[in-house]
Amino acid sequence: AMPGMGLVVKEILDWYKEQDSRKREYIRNTFKRMKRDGLVTNSRLLDGNIAVALSKRGRDMLHRCNMDNLTIAKPQAWDKKWRFVIFDFPQRFQKEREYFRNTLKRFGFYQLQKSVWIYPFPCAEEIIQVAEYVNVDRHVRLVDVVNFDGSDEATRFFNLD
């Protein structure tokens, strides 16, 4: 059990009771669809209530949604450091490589070389989280650099002049 979960559930139930019949029907149908798709499980408790929980598949989907919404906070001022993300995935990790690369693009990284990407702001936590999510963290290296050959082009790319 998670601390505070009871309050969350109570809020949801109170909100549900305030909805009109069409919205309640929509919510019931959504839960039925989620159960049919294997995203939630439910069981009847001894007191007659029904307990609903996310299945492993539902937790995986929720985690994937969280990954898709992950962003990197940009500080007000640049600390003049470059963050290099260097990776070399074995061939069997082709899907993971594509996901990782697309995530770097979505974050706004600059591709310096095929498997070398740079970013001007702290991002280690987010990169580690993505690498762990696709189980390739042992193939990813993070390096902080003050200056490198080609930094002028990267500075222009990120409008840091």
Side-chain angles (χ1 to χ4, degrees):
M2 297 183 335
M5 187 55 119
L7 292 174
V8 171
V9 170
K10 182 184 179 323
E11 288 291 321
I12 291 171
L13 290 174
D14 289 347
W15 174 83
Y16 176 80
K17 290 174 187 173
E18 293 172 3
Q19 302 307 308
D20 64 34
S21 63
R22 290 176 63 192
K23 281 190 180 178
R24 286 196 304 267
E25 181 66 23
Y26 175 79
I27 292 166
R28 280 193 299 275
N29 288 337
T30 299
F31 272 108
K32 285 179 188 177
R33 189 172 48 255
M34 290 173 70
K35 185 176 180 197
R36 183 191 67 222
D37 293 346
L39 301 176
V40 296
T41 60
N42 66 348
S43 56
R44 189 165 297 279
L45 301 175
L46 294 175
D47 63 3
N49 287 321
I50 296 176
V52 178
L54 283 174
S55 65
K56 180 183 179 334
R57 184 173 180 207
R59 287 190 303 275
D60 290 346
M61 179 179 272
L62 180 63
H63 194 61
R64 187 170 48 251
C65 289
N66 287 339
M67 283 291 113
D68 291 344
N69 292 322
L70 186 65
T71 60
I72 299 173
K74 294 180 184 175
Q76 297 254 325
W78 180 39
D79 62 3
K80 307 286 186 189
K81 290 183 186 175
W82 294 101
R83 280 62 181 193
F84 278 59
V85 177
I86 304 166
F87 56 92
D88 187 17
F89 300 161
Q91 189 60 36
R92 69 181 185 273
F93 291 107
Q94 188 171 352
K95 288 181 183 175
E96 292 85 349
R97 180 187 308 110
E98 192 64 29
Y99 180 88
F100 192 76
R101 192 180 301 132
N102 285 336
T103 301
L104 293 175
K105 288 178 188 176
R106 182 174 60 82
F107 283 159
F109 275 69
Y110 175 76
Q111 187 175 16
L112 190 62
Q113 294 182 359
K114 187 172 176 95
S115 294
V116 179
W117 295 70
I118 59 174
Y119 198 70
F121 306 113
C123 57
E125 285 183 31
E126 294 83 356
I127 298 304
I128 291 167
Q129 192 174 352
V130 173
E132 286 176 347
Y133 172 68
V134 290
N135 200 25
V136 294
D137 48 311
R138 65 187 169 279
H139 304 289
V140 176
R141 298 291 173 259
L142 304 175
V143 181
D144 288 358
V145 175
V146 175
N147 196 6
F148 67 95
D149 182 35
S151 63
D152 292 341
E153 187 176 330
T155 301
R156 283 191 300 277
F157 177 83
F158 289 105
N159 295 318
L160 297 171
D161 294 338

